[in-house]
Amino acid sequence: MTDNTTSEKRGWFQRLKSGLSRSSTKLTDSLTGIFTKRKLDRALLDELEEALIAADLGPATAAKLTAALAKDRFDKEVTSEEVRALFADEIAAILQPVAKSLTIAAHRPHVVLVVGVNGSGKTTTIGKLARLYQGQGKKVMLAAGDTFRAAAVEQLKIWGERAGVPVIARGEGADPAGLAFDALTQAKLEGIDLLLIDTAGRLQNKAGLMEELAKIVRVIKKVDTDAPHDCLLVLDATVGQNAHSQVDIFKQICQVTGLVVTKLDGSAKGGVLVALAERFGLPVVAIGVGEGQDDLKPFAAQEFARSLMDVA
């Protein structure tokens, strides 16, 4: 690994720790406050479990972490630092199987539908993904398929300009399926590696959204029978446990193949990512911990777990 790459990785780890500081502070303060007594008994385990649940890690994950702690340390003296280090290792083990970057297949283009509720950071995420993969030498194209929101179309155009990638767009109210068809046709002609298609996120009309996404899939299959190759769900970390219901709903609407978790820097609810991994087992292809163009990165399980538990 070059010095520049090592420096960049350290810089991202520091940003991740800083971004997750609200989550880690909430959690570590809670855990530290529990240690008025030092011996690990049933009462202390119950308090630890409650603290983990309060930090949005969820009941299943909290039970798994405290059981792992009790296995070797029950009725022994423990410190807050020891507990956090063990929890960080256990969380990393839970997260490691889902830490999978988006794999761009050899066929061209690799078509990705990007879904999520309005306000989740979906359009911004598409722009950042474009920059991320373009930086890896991929030819990227964007399709502004959220045609019901003029602001979403304009926002995607701005991100396209920043990243230096083409954006296929139509006027407000245009047919999203027709736009996706045109984008994929053009992407094939231009030898594009990755086509990212934005979609609407109007969950108040689930039936309409389901019909719209189904139509997009039907239409793009006329160009490529294997498309879409991925469907990424963008989740806003600040919604905490509500993220579970969003995954449930979008899994009904489309075949979700991966998650992108945004706004981890603005939330004390970063633990929800662990709960999502434990419950759904969906790949977490990227996380966002800032507003900058380069603040979306592939998910690294160990770094996230250590940052969440504030372990050096």
Side-chain angles (χ1 to χ4, degrees), residues 90-302:
E90 292 295 322
I91 289 170
I94 292 170
L95 295 176
Q96 196 60 57
V98 303
K100 299 176 182 177
S101 297
L102 182 67
T103 301
I104 310 300
H107 58 253
R108 293 182 182 176
H110 188 93
V111 182
V112 180
L113 275 185
V114 185
V115 302
V117 301
N118 291 337
S120 63
K122 177 166 50 70
T123 305
T124 299
T125 294
I126 293 171
K128 291 181 178 182
L129 284 171
R131 184 175 176 86
L132 177 66
Y133 286 99
Q134 189 208 43
Q136 295 177 7
K138 304 293 184 185
K139 291 181 67 177
V140 182
M141 177 181 285
L142 310 181
D146 187 357
T147 58
F148 289 87
R149 291 195 307 133
V153 175
E154 292 307 311
Q155 188 181 15
L156 200 63
K157 286 180 178 178
I158 291 170
W159 276 104
E161 289 175 7
R162 287 176 181 171
V165 303
V167 179
I168 307 302
R170 301 285 182 268
E172 185 178 355
D175 176 30
L179 182 142
F181 179 90
D182 291 345
L184 179 49
T185 301
Q186 188 166 333
K188 286 179 77 72
L189 288 172
E190 296 185 15
I192 295 295
D193 297 307
L194 176 63
L195 172 62
L196 296 162
I197 303 176
D198 195 6
T199 62
R202 307 177 312 283
L203 273 193
Q204 62 270 30
N205 181 6
K206 191 174 81 169
L209 181 57
M210 187 180 299
E211 184 179 321
E212 180 180 303
L213 288 173
K215 183 181 178 184
I216 291 173
V217 171
R218 282 198 311 273
V219 167
I220 61 179
K221 282 187 181 298
K222 294 178 181 178
V223 184
D224 182 344
T225 56
D226 293 326
H229 305 99
D230 278 292
C231 179
L232 297 183
L233 171 58
V234 179
L235 296 169
D236 175 349
T238 64
V239 304
Q241 291 300 303
N242 286 335
H244 287 263
S245 62
Q246 290 184 23
V247 177
D248 277 329
I249 291 169
F250 275 99
K251 282 185 70 181
Q252 295 170 32
I253 294 174
C254 55
Q255 189 175 350
V256 177
T257 60
L259 306 177
V260 178
V261 183
T262 67
K263 306 182 186 179
L264 282 162
D265 58 315
S267 172
K269 301 176 181 289
V272 73
L273 194 155
V274 187
L276 291 169
E278 180 75 25
R279 179 178 172 191
F280 296 104
L282 286 166
V284 179
V285 303
I287 58 172
V289 289
E291 295 297 322
Q293 295 182 68
D294 298 314
D295 285 330
L296 188 80
K297 295 285 187 181
F299 180 54
Q302 188 175 33

Side-chain angles (χ1 to χ4, degrees), residues 24-98:
S24 62
T25 298
K26 174 185 174 183
L27 191 50
T28 54
D29 283 355
S30 181
L31 294 178
T32 302
I34 289 169
F35 282 87
T36 52
K37 50 188 175 188
R38 302 289 296 279
K39 190 168 282 192
L40 187 65
D41 56 14
R42 176 44 38 192
L44 181 52
L45 283 169
D46 287 344
E47 289 181 57
L48 288 169
E49 192 168 329
E50 288 174 12
L52 293 168
I53 292 171
D56 288 280
L57 276 85
T61 306
K64 177 178 280 192
L65 295 181
T66 53
L69 177 63
K71 183 179 177 183
D72 295 321
R73 305 295 295 168
F74 192 77
D75 208 30
K76 298 177 182 177
E77 288 194 353
V78 290
T79 65
S80 172
E81 291 77 13
E82 289 171 337
V83 170
R84 287 189 287 111
L86 184 141
F87 283 173
D89 288 342
E90 292 295 322
I91 289 170
I94 292 170
L95 295 176
Q96 196 60 57
V98 303

